[in-house]
Amino acid sequence: MFSTRPTLQGTFGMVSSTHWLASTAAMAILEDGGNAFDAAVAAGFTLQVVQPHLNGPAGEVPVLFAPAGGRPLVLCGQGGAPAGATIEHFTGLGLDMVPGTGPLAAAVPGAFDAWLLLLRDHGTKRLSEVLERAIGYAEHGHPALDGVGRAVESVRGLFEKEWPSSAELYLADGRSPAPGALLRNRALAATWRRVLAETERRGLTREAQIDAARRVWSHGFVAEALADFAARPTMDTSGERHQGVLTADDLASFEAGYEEPVSYDWNGWTVCKPGLWSQGPVFLQQLALLPETLTHSTPEYGDADFLHRLIEGTKLAMADREAWYGAGTEVAPAELLAPGYTEQRRALITERASAELRPGRPGGRVPKLGAHVRRRTPVDPATDAGSGEPTIAENGAPRGDTCHLDVVDRWGNLVSATPSGGWLQSNPVVPGLGFPLGTRLQMALLTPGLPNSLAPGRRPRTTLSPSLALRDGQPVLAFGTPGGDNQDQWSLHFFLAVVLRDRQRGGLDLQGAIDAPNWRTESFPSSFYPRAMNPASVVVESRVGESTIAELRRRGHLVKVSGPWSQGQLCAVARDPETGVLSAGADPRYRQAYAVGR
């Protein structure tokens, strides 16, 4: 079996994330006596500095975690739509979709409050300790990734003509950040230092100081600056300047909170995901649609029949996502995972590839679909760079991508988180703060009466989808990936590559499963502006093999062959409950992703 890197193993702690500096920041916290929650928060804030084109302080984050000896929980760091975000307001501006950029697309930021709530309730470190490395990288600089420069170049004209505060930060001397050049964000460092200065009063407990910092964000100078900026007319992807509707009251009303995960039992494993406000249950529906006797066939990671079943199951699960997922849904996850419903859906899978969008009828309900489904705007599925939540859309409109991190510590705490939003190309940098607002409202629809329709206070449905898996009731595996609509496709193939293969000595072969040839389909409406769909499409890595590709085509799949290492951006950590051995892996496709541990 070939793998690009070893699966790391140890007994002290393991971290995997989409940037090596975030992984090492988390590991430093573990080495200093912190637990997995402290480490995850340190990594999360570091990612906001070193991957500003993929996430930011005003973005969002779902966190899925299992405390040692406790049950898995979801921490929702996804803010809702502002009170003024009504369908009537948007359509009154002549819009039929929420713009992909600009303050009009801003949901209430959720990441900052979520990270601090996790730290308060489950961590051990003070806020200053987990922020130390992020502040240092912001103030003193870090080597810029080539993706940062590409993102800035894609919006150079917008920065120079319309977004001067962004140009000041990211076009110093008229040049975008070169790969490896030292990139500083002193305004962001100053923002975090001011938060600490306003909350680290003598005698304040760790927990009280964290709560005070949350209030500074939601009620203090940060909220004031964000609300002031949102009210400024700003050029967005509609080609017009629009004011946002986010207000200080919206910011003051938001608090992150805990929820029970949705779970599904399969072959001795229990997989946990966030609820129907996320994409997460798609993964569980895909599992439910597989035959219980499923095994890997030759070649090692699946032949054409194996891949065909996975692809067709993905189409059915994604069709249900389009009709039934969203914070306004009337369907319970249990209905979509019920054996009878699953059997009806599984019967639709034949030997031929489907080109239709076929949502089910849970409880006899008629599927609810928006007008964009009928438009079926085509795209080229062979476009690989930044797929899912692409850094640059095919039409040149800027969008963002996503980060991921997983941590396990020697006590058995497991954390999986997928930070996103607040990208440097989503909105102008807010003067004095050093970061922009997000654009998560672009996920919501302007058609009334749908589960994902825009409504004040309602969370827009997100593709962010961290994963946690238990074996025989014991938390074992935390994993996830960037990639928008692709997240629960790439993650599914990884998970099956792990659990359907023999365990390596001392643990699961995470790196071998990450390195397995992967694929994606776009035979369903995209979650992102302009919501394109490519019926019967599938993109496969060339390593899948010529015979498998030929058989998929014979079955009716419109196959595009991408580069040998192009489909996936996975991170994963694991813990063997019997031995205490920890393991980790990271995707070589995502060149800055690294695992560390001992």
Side-chain angles (χ1 to χ4, degrees):
M1 176 204 52
F2 170 78
S3 63
T4 58
R5 308 168 180 174
T7 294
L8 302 187
Q9 293 184 300
T11 57
F12 180 80
M14 290 284 163
V15 183
S16 181
S17 86
T18 51
H19 197 293
W20 61 85
L21 291 180
S23 296
T24 55
M27 194 66 202
I29 292 291
L30 294 178
E31 295 285 4
D32 194 43
N35 64 20
F37 304 105
D38 300 312
V41 176
F45 280 112
T46 301
L47 287 171
Q48 294 173 5
V49 178
V50 300
Q51 293 188 313
H53 57 311
L54 309 182
N55 79 138
E60 49 276 329
V61 60
V63 184
L64 190 50
F65 65 94
R71 74 185 194 280
L73 286 172
V74 173
L75 173 57
C76 177
Q78 173 61 64
T86 64
I87 291 176
E88 294 74 19
H89 178 76
F90 281 72
T91 56
L93 295 172
L95 299 170
D96 62 356
M97 287 187 181
V98 178
T101 61
L104 195 58
V108 180
F112 185 88
D113 196 68
W115 285 127
L116 265 63
L117 186 64
L118 187 70
L119 180 67
R120 186 197 72 182
D121 293 348
H122 299 279
T124 64
K125 296 290 187 180
R126 295 187 70 86
L127 180 58
S128 57
E129 294 176 285
V130 299
L131 275 174
E132 179 182 1
R133 286 159 185 82
I135 290 175
Y137 288 130
E139 188 165 25
H140 304 297
H142 59 92
L145 298 171
D146 55 358
V148 175
R150 289 198 306 270
V152 173
E153 277 301 306
S154 73
V155 288
R156 169 185 285 274
L158 186 64
F159 279 17
E160 291 176 337
K161 296 176 183 177
E162 299 284 348
W163 297 4
S165 58
S166 296
E168 182 180 354
L169 177 57
Y170 291 110
L171 286 172
D173 301 322
R175 294 175 295 178
S176 61
L182 209 58
L183 179 60
R184 296 181 176 88
N185 189 340
R186 293 192 175 98
L188 177 55
T191 294
W192 282 333
R193 288 193 184 283
R194 182 175 172 185
V195 169
L196 293 173
E198 291 190 12
T199 58
E200 287 195 317
R201 297 187 294 274
R202 182 176 298 179
L204 212 57
T205 66
R206 187 188 76 91
E207 292 80 6
Q209 190 261 336
I210 292 170
D211 278 337
R214 295 170 68 198
R215 187 169 180 82
V216 167
W217 174 277
S218 61
H219 291 73
F221 78 96
V222 176
E224 292 173 3
L226 292 176
D228 177 71
F229 169 80
R232 302 181 186 182
T234 302
M235 180 66 69
D236 58 39
T237 51
S238 71
E240 303 289 338
R241 294 181 181 86
H242 291 116
Q243 291 177 273
V245 293
L246 182 72
T247 68
D249 287 342
D250 295 315
L251 291 155
S253 65
F254 175 77
E255 289 188 2
Y258 300 107
E259 302 175 0
E260 295 293 326
V262 182
S263 63
Y264 185 76
D265 296 330
W266 188 81
N267 282 3
W269 289 80
T270 301
V271 182
C272 299
K273 301 290 285 188
L276 291 174
W277 54 270
S278 78
Q279 179 177 262
V282 160
F283 187 105
L284 308 182
Q285 286 196 259
Q286 290 171 296
L287 277 183
L289 288 166
L290 296 175
E292 294 183 2
T293 57
L294 181 74
T295 59
H296 271 308
S297 49
T298 302
E300 186 176 16
Y301 295 106
D303 61 6
D305 187 64
F306 180 80
L307 294 181
H308 173 78
R309 283 190 169 274
L310 300 188
I311 294 164
E312 293 304 295
T314 296
K315 294 175 186 178
L316 293 174
M318 286 296 194
D320 275 353
R321 184 194 73 167
E322 192 62 36
W324 305 115
Y325 285 32
T329 188
E330 60 190 42
V331 174
E335 295 181 78
L336 299 173
L337 296 167
Y341 180 76
T342 297
E343 289 173 11
Q344 294 173 10
R345 302 290 282 155
R346 191 186 297 127
L348 297 175
I349 300 176
T350 68
E351 294 302 304
R352 296 292 298 174
S354 171
E356 299 301 316
L357 188 73
R358 300 181 291 177
R361 293 174 170 249
R365 301 176 182 88
V366 177
K368 299 179 179 181
L369 300 171
H372 66 285
V373 173
R374 295 185 288 275
R375 283 197 297 267
R376 293 195 174 193
T377 307
V379 295
D380 180 2
T383 304
D384 296 320
S387 57
E389 290 184 281
T391 303
I392 306 303
E394 191 178 15
N395 64 2
R399 294 185 243 170
D401 208 324
T402 299
C403 307
H404 187 79
L405 66 93
D406 301 300
V407 188
V408 61
D409 62 28
R410 62 190 185 274
W411 298 289
N413 298 302
L414 269 171
V415 184
S416 181
T418 310
S420 188
W423 312 296
L424 67 85
Q425 60 271 36
S426 62
N427 260 301
V429 168
V430 179
L433 295 185
F435 60 86
L437 282 166
T439 56
R440 191 55 63 176
L441 283 192
Q442 69 173 287
M443 317 290 279
L445 300 173
L446 298 183
T447 303
L450 303 178
N452 192 33
S453 296
L454 180 69
R458 179 181 290 176
R459 303 172 194 163
R461 190 188 72 211
T462 177
T463 57
L464 307 178
S465 189
S467 305
L468 197 69
L470 293 72
R471 189 173 60 218
D472 300 325
Q474 295 294 313
V476 170
L477 178 63
F479 60 101
T481 176
D485 294 325
N486 305 322
Q487 290 182 33
D488 287 300
Q489 303 184 61
W490 292 338
S491 291
L492 175 73
H493 202 201
F494 159 79
F495 177 73
L496 294 175
V498 169
V499 304
L500 294 180
R501 296 185 67 255
D502 292 335
R503 299 169 66 200
Q504 68 170 358
R505 183 178 62 187
L508 302 171
D509 182 15
L510 303 184
Q511 195 62 49
I514 288 170
D515 290 350
N518 220 321
W519 54 271
R520 77 175 193 270
T521 178
E522 293 174 337
S523 191
F524 53 85
S526 168
S527 296
F528 297 89
Y529 182 97
R531 301 189 175 278
M533 176 175 171
N534 260 329
S537 73
V538 61
V539 181
V540 300
E541 291 182 336
S542 58
R543 293 182 297 130
V544 166
E546 293 182 5
S547 62
T548 297
I549 291 168
E551 177 60 16
L552 289 173
R553 284 175 172 156
R554 189 192 69 79
R555 295 186 184 210
H557 296 279
L558 302 181
V559 180
K560 294 291 183 75
V561 181
S562 66
W565 298 92
S566 57
Q567 300 302 314
Q569 302 171 11
L570 283 144
C571 298
V573 301
R575 179 179 185 271
D576 189 324
E578 296 179 3
T579 65
V581 170
L582 312 178
S583 55
D587 207 318
R589 301 171 179 89
Y590 204 61
R591 290 178 297 168
Q592 61 265 31
Y594 272 89
V596 298
R598 70 172 178 89

